[in-house]
Each structure stands twice: as C-alpha cells, then as structure tokens.
Amino acid sequence: MSFIKSFRGVIAWDLDGTLYPYPKNMSFHQHNDKVTLKVAKRLGAEFTSDEVGLRQIAHYYNTYSSGVMGAAIEHGFSHEQGHFEYHDNLDPYVLDWTVCMETITRIQSCRHQHCILTHSHYVWVEKVLPLMGMHSLFPKDHVHCLEDYDYQLKSQNPAALHFLMARYGVQPHQLILVEDSIKNLIVAKRAGVHTVLVTHGDELKLNEEQRDAIDIIVNTPLDFLDLLRGKAAA
C-alpha cells in the first residue's frame, strides 16, 4: 500500500461489479445468463432444453470468464456479434444505480486521472453511465471496451493493460487496476501493475497466488478513493 502516497498515473476502473455492486440476490447474474442463452440460441447454438442451456452458460462463464464469449467459442458463432447482441439485450433497470452517487463526488474531488477498462460493449456503457450519473466523469475517450483490445479477456492475457499503457503513455507502475475479479488481477500483477480488489462486503478465501496478486483489498470503491485522499478506509 506504500505506493499510494506517491502514486502519479492512471486509475483504471472495471465497470460491472466494481463501480457498482451486483445485487446480493444475484438477480443480475441470472438475468445475464438468460440473455446469453437467448443470444446464443439466436446465433445458432443448440441445447436440449433451456434448463440445460442455462447450466452450460454458467459453465462457460466459470471457464472463460465470460458466458457469451465462452458460448461463441463452444458453438462457433462470431465473438463480435455475440458480444454486441448480449449487451444490446441487457436490461440496465434491474440494477440499483443510487449506490453510485457518493462515488461520483469522491472521483470528482480526486486529482488522479481515471478511466474505465471493461469487458462490456459500448452499447452497454452508453446505457449505464448516464443512469449511474457518471457520463461526464468518463467521457468516451476514457472508456475502453473489449472491442478496443481485440476481444482479449483481462483474465487471459495483459493485452488490455498494454493497450492502456500505450493509450496513456504510462509504465506498469503508473497504472492501478481496480477490479472485482481476482483472475483479472493475477494477470495485472504479473504485468507489474498495481492492483485493488473491491469485494462489496463479500467474504473471500484466498490462496497464496491470489493474495500475492492483490496490493489492496477494500469493501467498496469509496474505501479506495478515501485511501487515495489519505484517509483510512472504513
């Protein structure tokens, strides 16, 4: 955590599950799986039943870190088309955006440069940022989606991080990645990037590799923003 006081660089925020929490009842994950199944079937994937299909989609998510990308690989349809249609069909109104209001104020008062690095498609980001009240905090040239870095998942290789470093002209030690995904942070740490895990209060059991990959663990984005401002996290 010692790097925080002297840090000068870019803070890259994951969007879904990080800047806002998923509902504790997991309704959003269930919604995601249903949308993925709908899109996969429309693009040619076949399942013996929707129940079987939903189990397969959950398996693809666990295997590939993305249900729709896993379905594209397993069923041979276009990653690009699946990615677009999935996000075009997601319903942003199943989420509670009021949780973002205090985060907005903290980011506005932060002297660091911020951007979003997400696996989402621009069609989703353009829906949710206005609902979050964050569209002015993250203009389009500070939002970087999966299509920007050739559909290379953050959990699989550092292509997204290399894209960011080139885009902002920074070195690994000048970049902080804030995520809810430990898989993504393991790759980032190997690339020399500072890492922050946002848990939203979830209890985690970490193995040694996971612990070594995380520089800072916080409950919420507010806690990390307080650290940046020199205040102790709650």
Side-chain angles (χ1 to χ4, degrees):
M1 195 182 298
S2 59
F3 69 88
I4 285 289
K5 290 184 179 180
S6 60
F7 181 75
R8 298 290 184 274
V10 176
I11 299 168
W13 294 87
D14 174 55
L15 178 60
D16 304 316
T18 299
L19 274 175
Y20 68 87
Y22 291 122
K24 294 300 182 185
N25 63 10
M26 299 298 286
S27 62
F28 190 57
H29 285 303
Q30 293 165 4
H31 174 63
N32 288 356
D33 289 350
K34 289 177 181 178
V35 171
T36 302
L37 179 62
K38 174 184 174 181
V39 169
K41 289 170 64 178
R42 188 160 64 219
L43 294 177
E46 296 182 357
F47 304 95
T48 56
S49 69
D50 283 356
E51 182 180 356
V52 169
L54 288 171
R55 287 201 299 268
Q56 281 297 108
I57 296 302
H59 170 70
Y60 297 154
Y61 180 85
N62 290 330
T63 303
Y64 297 99
S65 302
S66 167
V68 71
M69 298 296 281
I73 292 168
E74 294 288 343
H75 296 276
F77 59 78
S78 162
H79 291 195
E80 293 85 349
Q81 188 65 25
H83 187 61
F84 168 77
E85 290 199 24
Y86 165 76
H87 287 98
D88 193 41
N89 280 273
L90 282 179
D91 179 6
Y93 294 100
V94 302
L95 295 161
D96 177 12
W97 300 114
T98 60
V99 298
C100 300
M101 298 310 296
E102 195 170 354
T103 303
I104 294 170
T105 302
R106 303 284 178 89
I107 292 178
Q108 286 174 330
S109 65
C110 182
R111 58 185 171 79
H112 297 87
Q113 189 172 21
H114 298 261
C115 69
I116 288 175
L117 184 69
T118 177
H119 283 165
S120 299
H121 193 283
Y122 278 108
V123 70
W124 173 249
V125 174
E126 289 171 356
K127 287 180 186 178
V128 301
L129 281 186
L131 293 175
M132 296 168 72
M134 293 188 179
H135 52 294
S136 61
L137 290 179
F138 298 102
K140 191 166 184 177
D141 62 347
H142 281 64
V143 176
H144 311 293
C145 297
L146 194 61
E147 55 265 41
D148 288 330
Y149 40 96
D150 198 29
Y151 298 90
Q152 300 295 306
L153 296 179
K154 291 180 279 182
S155 60
Q156 295 179 352
N157 64 64
L161 302 170
H162 293 159
F163 168 85
L164 270 194
M165 287 185 272
R167 164 67 177 78
Y168 292 97
V170 296
Q171 298 298 312
H173 69 278
Q174 297 171 303
L175 183 62
I176 298 175
L177 182 64
V178 188
E179 275 274 358
D180 68 320
S181 168
I182 298 173
K183 290 181 180 179
N184 296 350
L185 293 179
I186 289 174
V187 173
K189 190 64 177 178
R190 289 173 181 165
V193 171
H194 299 299
T195 58
V196 177
L197 177 67
V198 178
T199 68
H200 291 294
D202 292 338
E203 293 187 11
L204 303 174
K205 293 183 179 179
L206 304 177
N207 60 36
E208 184 176 356
E209 180 187 31
Q210 292 169 333
R211 287 194 300 270
D212 290 345
I214 302 167
D215 291 318
I216 299 172
I217 300 177
V218 293
N219 284 332
T220 70
L222 295 175
D223 294 332
F224 174 58
L225 290 164
D226 278 344
L227 286 175
L228 287 174
R229 298 194 306 166
K231 296 184 178 181

